[in-house]
Amino acid sequence: MSGSAYYELYRRSSIGLALTDTLDDLISARRMEPQLAMKILANFDRSITEVLADKVKARLSFKGHLDTYRFCDEVWTFLIKDVNFKLDNQQQVHADKVKIVSCNSKRPGEA
Amino acid sequence: MATDEFSQEMVQTPTSMLEVEELVKRLYLPGSPALIVQIQETLQKLQRSPEGWILADKLLESNDEKVRFFGALTFTVKLNADWDSLSEHDVQPLLARLISWLVRLVSRNESALVVRKLCSTLVAFFLRPSVSWTRCLRHLVCSISAGDAILEDALDQYPPTPELLQRLSLQQIVAILWFSSTLAEEAGKVNIGGQQQHSLHQNLTPSIEDVVVLLGYAIAPTADITLKQEGVKCLQSWLYFAHRAWVDQDNSAPLHTIRTLVEPAMHCLLNEDLFDITIEVFIDTLSNFSIFFRPEDMDALSSLLGTEWAGNRFQRLRESDFEFESLQFGRFLLAFGDATVDDLVKKSEEQSTRHILGMLHGLLQCEGYPIVEDEICEDALEFWNNFVDSMSAALFAEEEKSRPWMGAARQNVIQAIEECWGKVRFPPSEVLITWDSDSRKKFQDFRRDVNDLLQSAYTFLGAEVFERLVHLARHSLEEGAWENLEATLFCLNALAECISDDGGPEDDVLVQLLGSSMFSQLSNPDIPVPPKARQTAVNMLGHYSSLCKRHTELLPSALNFLFTTLSSPALSTPASKSISLLCSSCRKSLTSELETFLEQYGRFLAWPSADISTKEKVIGAIAAIIQALPSEEAKAAPTSRLLQFVEADVQSCLNSLANGQTEEAQGSGVAALRCLSSMGKLFQAPDDLPLDLDSETPQSTFWDAGAGKEIQNHIVKLVDIITGALSQDGEIIEEACNVYRSGLKETTPGPFVFPPSVTVEFILKSNHLTPRVENVLTTACVLLTTHLSDQSIRIDNEARLILLYVLRIVQSIGGPSNEPEIAQSCVDVIMRFIPRYINVLLNLEVQDGLERLFAFILDCLRGDDILPKRSAASFWAAFVSQTDQPEPLQSSINNIMAHMGPLLAVTLVRSIAGGAPRSDLDALAEPLKKLVFKQPRAKTWLEGALYGDAFPSDKVDQKERRIWLQKVMSLRGSRNTNQLVRELWIASRGTNFAYAS
């Protein structure tokens, strides 16, 4: 729906940081006003959420030892140790520690 | 002619209304962009002038539609831009003027363009923060009914709104509906949570009842069709607004009022002319705002889906009618399913629910291949995934052991899986070749989505799903139904991850299939099996390699099948992958078959399917079996046999080079090196071997000093020959590095576990001009990292040689910006000297060498290149933390810090005070935190940087800088320092940069 608000989580991703740096450069060069930069970031929040939900089909599975978990303010946090990721192409990646933060993709009242 | 005149001279400011009208008309004619801009600017000046209000009135009196439109636009411009020029006494007369215009224009059958614009002008008036037009809708209805604008105070003197609406013409009600829609749409754009939104809602609430009366009249069964269409559109706008405004206030009075419109809206669904627009309202609301519907509304919708009307539409969809209307009905059904999924799970045996579930199953059974032909099954699959998620949530939410709903819900899931099984079947090859790449990709995506359903459903279905699938597979095998067999094996592959590593009841079921004649039939050249079925069977052996490890009796037939398949160029890649996975997992069980494998490999090399990728996989697989042999001595002969195969590629490389065939030489060289690195990787001992901590058996010296040394020398020689012959080829260098790296991680001796000096010798052969020298530097990093722990041997001499090598590269490349990637790799290597080889670093015997290295790393921190900067930040964070080294090392470190500390502080402060991009701040905060926490003189150094001339911004005064430093020091390097870093960056750059945190 047009009225939905989107999380700002992905601003901290590589692509979000790169976008913010670019907007900073444009503002420094006086080629853009911060108000427009805010709108662009809001659009980015929406677009990346939708694209990740709709377009990305790559997937992986992982196994590890669940060390800690919590659910606070509608946010799940999992700390997993000794994690083995298995990618689509059977390639495997190992990580000693992984933190997963997951937020509800829909607002209260939405289906 | 007129166009030319306009384009050749500057647009003059009009002096009469006639000229203004001409200018407006000209604005809407084609012309050069420059001219249009000039006209716009001229007209905007007029609009913004104090006479703009009068101009708007005059324009609305025009005979030309475009001019009247511009008149309404002028009112909007004035409202938005010059509102402050109005006095308190001007507001109500202005409203009266606008309403009066609407009444007059509508009564003259004005075009939709102008009326809609005037409606949006009235909405702009409503949205002014200081305006309190609380009964706007009734005000319009009464005014239109009265034939002119009336006073808002006089509304009570008029008959009730429903009575008035009956007296109005179609055009008049449509105009009010347009106003109402625009009001909802524009109100929905106001920022959520702000004060403006709060007061807006307060202003809107009294009108909600009028909106409902208006919409109830417009979409009543007896209403005119045009009115109904406009009414449904208006309802959609209000539902959007309601969702935004009251989504978290389920019981709010406005929502209760709007809910009374559900029933008449449902009647509109049954009207063919209204189906398209009405079904969209229901789909959107069910999908995004399902709490809007009351339980009785949901019951009514459920009953509607049980009617003949719904049955007919459903049947059309089942019969492959994928036109827009049919698909919309399917989406409506799915949206209803999603909104009631919890009930569908728990009440799946009730009559009404069974009917809905039956239809939802039906959406997976429409004719046609998924996505390519059947456009609804993808959405239907998503519903069934939600169904399983809901089961999962209900299962964990309920505490009681007996769940009466579980049995029926499980049956539904099993049925959905069987329906999906029917959908994932590949079409016959003659159909498949007609699909474009996009269609194939989408079909594959659908199959992956089915994987998700299977994996989620396993939680409830357990071994039963395996039993059913294995039964299907065996049945397909008996019938020679290869597409069915492929689909079944695909489903089983999806479930491979679900079985625990120790096996379970699923093992017995799967062994029935894997131990059957399946593989012999699939490898029989006389049976026309589609390649896809063979490929999925090949993949299956990779997926179930751990099962084969538990049931080694399956291995001979499985590996025979794989080696037979290896001859097919189309299947050799997945076959080689599966061989690699199986041999790696079951290496111990296969040692007796080693000789056969070596012979098979020799034969395979002559086949056309033996390319780089397949050769490296299969040779690696054999290396894994060799690794599992009981003694080191026993490994020597088969390892040498493998090296002979590699030698053939090396020889081919040299021959090609001699013949001037550089490309062929490169191919053979890469093949040889990739085979070697694959052997090295698979020679690594598996991670899951038990460690005998009490064992006192000394490590074998076979590979270091015994006969195995010859084999190691042989490997090194092979690498040397290729890198010597193709030293200017980046891929060759990279692959050679991989060979050396494959042994570095090993803790026990082996053919690829070279002495550190051998690896260093390889590293020292390169220089800054070597292509992909970053890989060589990374190899140096890995070598140092594997010798960092106290348990590993010290390699001071090798570390010294590496440091000198890095110094040479640093001196050769000049500044970091000349070769950012090499610069980053150099810093990464130097960082590996901390802390174990810090003595080597500090005792660098080259004149000024250490100073040059530190200056270089500081340059990296100052520069614009991201990667060297990040590495340099990590280096400084590590170096400034060195405060407990033994003497005389600590004194040396302290001396260096006394010299470098102020420079580091200046660099950090310049970057944090706006010099660096925002994304670097977290990385830059790390050395700052360590500096503050570990170095006693940090405050002095930072003061120097903050108060000196080097501070880059004049937006932060001395006092603010002092306060900032106090805060940073008081945090003592804790995590909150990152926030302070951000604050100084924004303060230094200015408020323009506060738009993002």
Side-chain angles (χ1 to χ4, degrees), chain B residues 590-736:
Chain B
L590 292 168
T591 47
S592 59
E593 302 292 325
L594 182 59
E595 189 55 36
T596 319
F597 275 98
L598 287 165
E599 285 170 17
Q600 284 267 32
Y601 187 68
R603 281 198 291 278
F604 159 68
L605 289 178
W607 298 342
S609 55
D611 57 20
I612 296 179
S613 160
T614 50
K615 277 194 314 195
E616 68 166 322
K617 291 271 184 318
V618 181
I619 202 169
I622 300 171
I625 301 171
I626 298 173
Q627 189 276 330
L629 289 171
S631 73
E632 301 304 314
E633 289 73 11
K635 296 175 187 175
T639 306
S640 293
R641 291 266 300 274
L642 287 187
L643 291 178
Q644 281 170 12
F645 293 127
V646 179
E647 250 177 4
D649 274 329
V650 176
Q651 196 54 51
S652 162
C653 169
L654 295 177
N655 291 344
S656 300
L657 214 54
N659 294 333
Q661 298 166 306
T662 320
E663 207 172 306
E664 286 78 1
Q666 199 256 8
S668 301
V670 168
L673 290 174
R674 277 173 61 174
C675 284
L676 285 175
S677 66
S678 174
M679 282 173 66
K681 277 180 204 150
L682 272 294
F683 251 114
Q684 290 171 5
D687 296 334
D688 54 358
L689 284 184
L691 275 177
D692 185 0
L693 297 173
D694 299 327
S695 170
E696 290 178 2
T697 318
Q699 280 197 340
S700 165
T701 55
F702 178 78
W703 300 101
D704 300 334
K709 184 80 182 158
E710 283 304 308
I711 293 176
Q712 283 203 347
N713 290 343
H714 191 182
I715 295 168
V716 171
K717 192 178 157 198
L718 291 176
V719 176
D720 275 354
I721 290 171
I722 299 170
T723 50
L726 294 162
S727 60
Q728 291 311 305
D729 189 299
E731 197 174 353
I732 292 288
I733 300 297
E734 189 175 339
E735 294 301 340

Side-chain angles (χ1 to χ4, degrees), chain A residues 1 3 12 21 24 59 86, chain B residues 243-244 452 918-919 995:
Chain A
M1 278 209 174
R12 308 278 289 168
D21 281 349
D24 286 342
R59 60 194 74 195
K86 199 177 270 185
Chain B
H243 174 231
R244 194 177 159 88
D452 282 352
R918 193 192 299 253
S919 59
Y995 69 94

Side-chain angles (χ1 to χ4, degrees), chain B residues 355-402:
Chain B
H355 177 71
I356 302 288
L357 282 168
M359 292 173 96
L360 289 163
H361 278 299
L363 294 184
L364 284 175
Q365 298 169 344
C366 301
E367 289 169 25
Y369 290 103
I371 325 289
V372 183
E373 294 168 356
D374 176 355
E375 295 176 44
I376 197 70
C377 67
E378 188 184 22
D379 294 336
L381 178 59
E382 199 177 323
F383 163 78
W384 284 105
N385 267 316
N386 289 344
F387 186 89
V388 173
D389 286 347
S390 174
M391 278 176 77
S392 182
L395 189 73
F396 293 111
E398 290 179 10
E399 287 180 6
E400 73 265 30
K401 283 186 179 170
S402 73

Side-chain angles (χ1 to χ4, degrees), chain A residues 8-101:
Chain A
E8 295 178 3
L9 289 170
Y10 300 112
R11 292 186 188 186
R12 308 278 289 168
S13 64
S14 306
I15 190 171
L17 289 172
L19 174 64
T20 315
D21 281 349
T22 307
L23 294 174
D24 286 342
D25 288 346
L26 289 167
I27 292 170
S28 295
R30 296 184 182 282
R31 290 169 62 191
M32 181 184 281
E33 293 298 319
Q35 289 82 357
L36 180 57
M38 280 170 78
K39 289 218 167 211
I40 290 171
L41 282 180
N43 275 343
F44 169 78
D45 296 335
R46 176 176 56 77
S47 301
I48 192 140
T49 307
E50 289 173 358
V51 165
L52 289 176
D54 300 338
K55 305 280 183 207
V56 178
K57 294 288 181 184
R59 60 194 74 195
L60 53 75
S61 58
F62 61 87
K63 275 184 183 172
H65 296 108
L66 183 58
D67 185 66
T68 310
Y69 68 93
R70 55 179 168 267
F71 181 61
C72 183
D73 294 339
E74 290 285 307
V75 177
W76 278 103
T77 306
F78 302 96
L79 290 170
I80 311 172
K81 288 189 172 166
D82 194 19
V83 194
N84 209 28
F85 292 91
K86 199 177 270 185
L87 311 184
D88 267 349
N89 56 3
Q90 297 288 318
Q91 194 191 337
Q92 297 202 18
V93 179
H94 183 267
D96 293 336
K97 198 164 73 175
V98 168
K99 183 178 184 179
I100 297 176
V101 180

Side-chain angles (χ1 to χ4, degrees), chain B residues 293-368:
Chain B
F293 294 106
R294 299 162 296 185
E296 54 267 38
D297 297 328
M298 285 300 195
D299 288 344
L301 286 170
S302 174
S303 302
L304 180 73
L305 287 169
T307 60
E308 191 184 344
W309 168 83
N312 290 337
R313 285 202 171 269
F314 177 69
Q315 198 51 38
R316 276 160 56 184
L317 201 52
R318 285 290 308 271
E319 290 165 2
S320 308
D321 172 2
F322 297 117
E323 291 299 315
F324 183 70
E325 273 198 9
S326 261
L327 285 174
Q328 284 290 77
F329 176 79
R331 287 173 191 139
F332 168 57
L333 176 60
L334 288 166
F336 180 77
D338 280 332
T340 57
V341 69
D342 294 338
D343 281 345
L344 293 176
V345 165
K346 291 193 175 177
K347 298 174 185 169
S348 51
E349 286 194 289
E350 287 182 12
Q351 180 59 37
S352 58
T353 315
R354 279 212 323 247
H355 177 71
I356 302 288
L357 282 168
M359 292 173 96
L360 289 163
H361 278 299
L363 294 184
L364 284 175
Q365 298 169 344
C366 301
E367 289 169 25

Side-chain angles (χ1 to χ4, degrees), chain B residues 234-256:
Chain B
C234 185
L235 173 64
Q236 186 163 27
S237 302
W238 278 100
L239 285 175
Y240 278 150
F241 175 75
H243 174 231
R244 194 177 159 88
W246 300 299
V247 68
D248 50 356
Q249 298 167 38
D250 187 19
N251 292 315
S252 69
L255 270 189
H256 277 302

Side-chain angles (χ1 to χ4, degrees), chain B residues 411 414-415 418 463-473 488 509:
Chain B
Q411 281 310 312
I414 288 171
Q415 190 182 336
E418 286 173 351
E464 186 182 348
V465 68
F466 281 89
E467 283 166 18
R468 283 178 177 262
L469 288 169
V470 167
H471 174 76
L472 271 173
T488 318
V509 183

